[in-house]
């Protein structure tokens, strides 16, 4: 089988992890190729995600590279055998490779940490709100509707049998932006309070008075793998979205998110009694904005 020209993010990540393990084991490409009884170029193709590796050969490489048994080993094996097919295949008429990569990444994640300075995070959007946002960037009504369907389908990871733990920090500016008009925004803010009742969802608001730290960090999401070694930072961009997997970059974004949580108001707790809101928190701010729309 010839090398693929456009590997998926999962395939690229598996290749990057194999390269990292090989270098950590101080093994040359030539010696790694000998393990597979192949040419040096074969290892290069595997490490760039352009060539698949069979179950037995992947297992052999991981063992020879000194990768210990455990969640990390198991997940790499799983990534190597995954077909890349899923519910997102229903949307190939509309979405591109980056969106499919995102949906597959979400399906393999255990934790989602997301920061949004201007909009409500896509995972927490209502259908009306999503339609209002997407219609501004997509002039074709039919394509807009498909994009909305895709976004809502992605939200299933919050309500499935093994839901993803989600923590969102949303800038106060996103609450005031009248996306779709006052009625759409009221229902969207109500949705934030409703979804916060889920035990695995935490919503915090970053208030204006906390300063400009939130603006500097821009929009990003951190997807936590089953083993933390496979965490991924996702930066959405209309022209070219980015998947960051470098350890230093991951650490920087993780620290940035923790700082955002520290500066943000206390999380939304819709079940708490009114008298417990003596001090300003995320819930009281969302309610205030909703009642003033």
């Amino acid at each position: 089988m010839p090398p693929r020209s456009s590997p998926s993010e999962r395939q690229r990540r598996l290749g990057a992890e194999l390269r990292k393990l090989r270098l950590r084991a101080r093994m040359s490409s030539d010696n790694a190729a000998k393990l597979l009884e192949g040419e040096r170029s074969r290892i290069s193709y595997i490490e760039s995600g352009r060539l698949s590796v069979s179950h037995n050969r992947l297992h052999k490489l991981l063992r020879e590279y000194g990768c210990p048994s455990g969640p990390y080993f198991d997940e790499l094996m799983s990534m190597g055998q995954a077909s890349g097919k899923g519910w997102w295949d229903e949307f190939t008429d509309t979405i591109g490779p980056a969106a499919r990569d995102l949906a597959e990444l979400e399906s393999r994640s255990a934790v989602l940490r997301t920061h949004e300075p201007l909009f409500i995070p896509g995972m927490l959007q209502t259908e009306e709100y999503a339609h209002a946002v997407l219609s501004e960037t997509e002039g074709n009504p039919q394509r807009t509707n498909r994009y909305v369907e895709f976004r809502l389908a992605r939200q299933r990871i919050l309500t499935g049998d093994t839901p993803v733990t989600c923590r969102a920090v949303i800038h106060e500016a996103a609450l005031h932006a009248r996306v779709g008009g006052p009625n759409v925004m009221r229902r969207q803010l109500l949705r934030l309070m409703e979804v916060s009742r889920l035990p695995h969802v935490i919503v915090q608001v970053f208030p204006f008075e906390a300063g400009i730290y939130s603006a500097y960090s821009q929009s990003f999401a951190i997807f936590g793998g089953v083993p933390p070694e496979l965490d991924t930072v996702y930066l959405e961009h209309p022209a070219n979205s980015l998947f960051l997997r470098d350890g230093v970059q991951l650490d920087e974004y993780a620290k940035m998110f923790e700082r955002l949580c520290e500066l943000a108001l206390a999380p939304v707790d819709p079940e708490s009694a009114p008298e417990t809101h003596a001090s300003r928190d995320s819930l009281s701010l969302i309610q205030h904005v909703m009642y003033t729309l």
Side-chain angles (χ1 to χ4, degrees), residues 155-257:
Q155 295 178 1
R156 297 172 191 163
I157 65 172
L158 298 181
T159 56
D161 294 335
T162 55
V164 167
T165 297
C166 175
R167 183 162 194 168
V169 177
I170 308 168
H171 196 282
E172 184 179 350
L175 308 184
H176 290 276
R178 298 197 175 188
V179 176
N183 290 333
V184 171
M185 280 305 301
R186 288 192 192 96
R187 287 188 283 270
Q188 175 59 74
L189 297 181
L190 182 61
R191 166 66 175 165
L192 282 183
M193 292 187 284
E194 290 174 343
V195 75
S196 296
R197 290 192 174 95
L198 297 174
H200 53 279
V201 176
I202 299 174
V203 175
Q204 288 181 265
V205 176
F206 192 100
F208 287 124
E209 64 264 25
I212 59 175
Y213 185 83
S214 180
Y216 278 133
S217 62
Q218 301 183 332
S219 171
F220 66 89
I222 305 174
F223 291 95
V226 175
E229 295 95 331
L230 293 177
D231 285 2
T232 303
V233 172
Y234 176 71
L235 304 177
E236 185 172 11
H237 190 276
N240 185 28
S241 297
L242 297 176
F243 296 87
L244 306 180
R245 55 185 100 92
D246 177 77
V248 175
Q249 293 173 320
L250 290 172
D251 288 343
E252 288 299 316
Y253 275 94
K255 292 176 183 176
M256 192 183 302
F257 189 80

Side-chain angles (χ1 to χ4, degrees), residues 63 67-77 227:
R63 287 302 187 202
C67 183
S69 300
Y72 180 56
F73 185 103
D74 294 341
E75 186 61 16
L76 291 180
M77 290 297 299

Side-chain angles (χ1 to χ4, degrees), residues 17-18 20-27 35 58-70 72-73 76:
E17 294 300 313
L18 289 173
K20 181 172 67 177
L21 289 168
R22 177 177 62 77
L23 294 177
R24 188 179 297 168
R26 299 182 181 276
M27 184 180 295
L35 294 174
L58 177 57
H59 190 279
K60 184 174 184 178
L61 286 178
L62 293 177
R63 287 302 187 202
E64 293 294 333
Y65 291 166
C67 183
S69 300
Y72 180 56
F73 185 103
L76 291 180

Side-chain angles (χ1 to χ4, degrees), residues 244-280:
L244 306 180
R245 55 185 100 92
D246 177 77
V248 175
Q249 293 173 320
L250 290 172
D251 288 343
E252 288 299 316
Y253 275 94
K255 292 176 183 176
M256 192 183 302
F257 189 80
E258 288 305 311
R259 183 58 176 158
L260 287 165
C261 292
E262 292 172 2
L263 294 173
L265 297 174
V268 172
D269 181 9
E271 303 300 333
S272 62
E275 60 270 17
T276 65
H277 297 283
S279 60
R280 197 167 185 235

